[in-house]
Amino acid sequence: MTLELDPQIAEALGPLMAGLADVAPPPVGDVDGRRVVMNTMLATVDRLQPTADDVRITDHELTTADGARLLLRWYRTSDTVGVAPGPGPAVLYLHGGGMILGSVSINDGAVSRLVSRSGVPVLAVDYRLAPEYPFPTPVEDVYAGLQWLHEHATELDVDPARIAVMGDSAGGGLAAAVSILARDRGGPAIARQLLIFPMLDDRTTIPDSHIAPFAAWTYEDNITGWQAFLGARAGGTDVPALAAPARLEDATGLPPAYLEVGQLDIFRDEDLAYALLLGRGGVPVELHLTPGAPHEYDAIAYQSDAARRALADRVRVIRSL
């Protein structure tokens, strides 16, 4: 028996795949080509989903140690009825895009819906992208965002002991990396890490014949992203865990983790291995392997039962902070 798409996901993917049938995929190393195609696709897919009208957005600016100015976008529900008084939890969110594309604004809809469903505010960091800004810049940008959220916790009505980090795809990898960095630097505190089909291992370059036909983020895309982020070091022996968390040897002291990945995602094996690594380090882990699901299935097939279950689980974990 071979692997196959979940029927509801397959139905949602149909029109998208038909539209891309005559589009030649960008060659390995073509970052600009991927930005044009994928940023447009991400924005289009997000617009198809319902809007969250009860979330207000406020923009802040962070100046990094090297003088860059980063957008920090704060999402909070406008309706406070039923919300417990006093400081509450918050989430630091990091968008996906293979380290080379995506932005905070492209994810306004997805983040707003998460905030609307959970009632928990989110701070999204518009970290700088490779190859213009390779490792360690994106990781340091995220760490600076975490520090900013802690420093402004009082004015944002946030309990600094209840801050989680969350990201999908490359953002999930950055969430894992900043959890390691915060541990190694002695803070700021992270209450939980939510890793949504995270991009963790620069060595995922050899196609799995069972997965490759369904890959929404392909092996060629992955090679391109990691080479942009790490340069000639990608796939070598001297890649640090802060760049590729799958390289981590000791997970002791990391925050509890929620991790999910689709069975047809090229990140499947590295994500399952990371969950085991965390568990062996004494880190509580909740792991979900979604049958018949490729990368980013929840955005494309958002009405599928699989996507609804995933969103419900994420909301449950966020509310538990």
Side-chain angles (χ1 to χ4, degrees):
M1 189 176 196
T2 60
L3 298 178
E4 58 184 27
L5 284 169
D6 172 285
Q8 292 179 331
I9 296 175
E11 182 179 2
L13 277 173
L16 179 64
M17 298 309 295
L20 295 174
D22 296 328
V23 179
V28 170
D30 184 356
V31 171
D32 289 337
R34 284 173 170 80
R35 286 174 175 171
V36 170
V37 173
M38 294 188 181
N39 280 338
T40 300
M41 182 178 68
L42 289 171
T44 300
V45 168
D46 188 75
R47 284 196 296 268
L48 296 175
Q49 300 189 46
T51 58
D53 296 327
D54 61 338
V55 175
R56 64 178 187 269
I57 295 174
T58 307
D59 286 345
H60 302 274
E61 187 176 82
L62 162 68
T63 301
T64 65
D66 63 352
R69 295 180 176 179
L70 302 183
L71 168 67
L72 302 178
R73 182 157 288 177
W74 180 243
Y75 304 77
R76 189 164 203 148
T77 54
S78 54
D79 184 2
T80 59
V81 175
V83 176
V91 175
L92 187 80
Y93 174 77
L94 314 166
H95 67 79
M99 305 293 184
I100 58 175
L101 55 92
S103 68
V104 162
S105 60
I106 287 177
N107 288 272
D108 277 342
V111 175
S112 294
R113 287 185 290 273
L114 185 67
V115 171
S116 180
R117 284 282 300 271
S118 68
V120 175
V122 167
L123 183 73
V125 181
D126 212 19
Y127 60 88
R128 287 171 283 179
L129 300 173
E132 294 85 356
Y133 300 97
F135 175 79
T137 297
V139 179
E140 292 290 353
D141 285 353
V142 171
Y143 184 74
L146 177 65
Q147 290 179 305
W148 188 95
L149 182 53
H150 272 265
E151 291 165 359
H152 293 79
T154 300
E155 65 190 74
L156 297 175
D157 204 22
V158 169
D159 181 349
R162 299 166 68 190
I163 293 174
V165 294
M166 177 181 184
D168 58 282
S169 195
L174 289 171
V178 79
S179 296
I180 299 169
L181 186 57
R183 178 198 66 177
D184 294 348
R185 291 183 178 174
I190 295 174
R192 188 161 300 179
Q193 49 182 323
L194 287 87
L195 313 179
I196 313 303
F197 31 80
M199 179 180 176
L200 302 171
D201 198 337
D202 58 300
R203 298 162 295 188
T204 301
T205 57
I206 300 174
D208 180 324
S209 61
H210 299 293
I211 294 177
F214 308 103
W217 175 258
T218 68
Y219 293 91
E220 292 79 10
D221 295 333
N222 209 41
I223 293 169
T224 300
W226 281 113
Q227 288 181 349
F229 189 53
L230 294 173
R233 300 170 70 184
T237 59
D238 64 341
V239 174
L242 289 177
R247 304 285 193 140
L248 186 68
E249 295 181 357
D250 182 8
T252 304
L254 291 178
Y258 169 90
L259 194 156
E260 63 175 70
V261 66
Q263 191 179 18
L264 302 179
D265 193 322
I266 72 168
F267 297 153
R268 181 196 62 193
D269 293 354
E270 64 192 64
D271 290 355
L272 296 180
Y274 196 67
L276 286 174
L277 175 68
L278 293 174
R280 288 171 180 154
V283 178
V285 179
E286 178 178 340
L287 172 65
H288 294 257
L289 177 64
T290 307
H295 196 62
E296 294 285 1
Y297 73 95
D298 57 332
I300 301 166
Y302 66 93
Q303 292 183 314
S304 67
D305 291 341
R308 293 177 188 274
R309 287 193 299 269
L311 178 58
D313 283 326
R314 297 170 199 174
V315 167
R316 168 181 53 80
V317 173
I318 290 170
R319 283 178 174 171
S320 72
L321 289 169

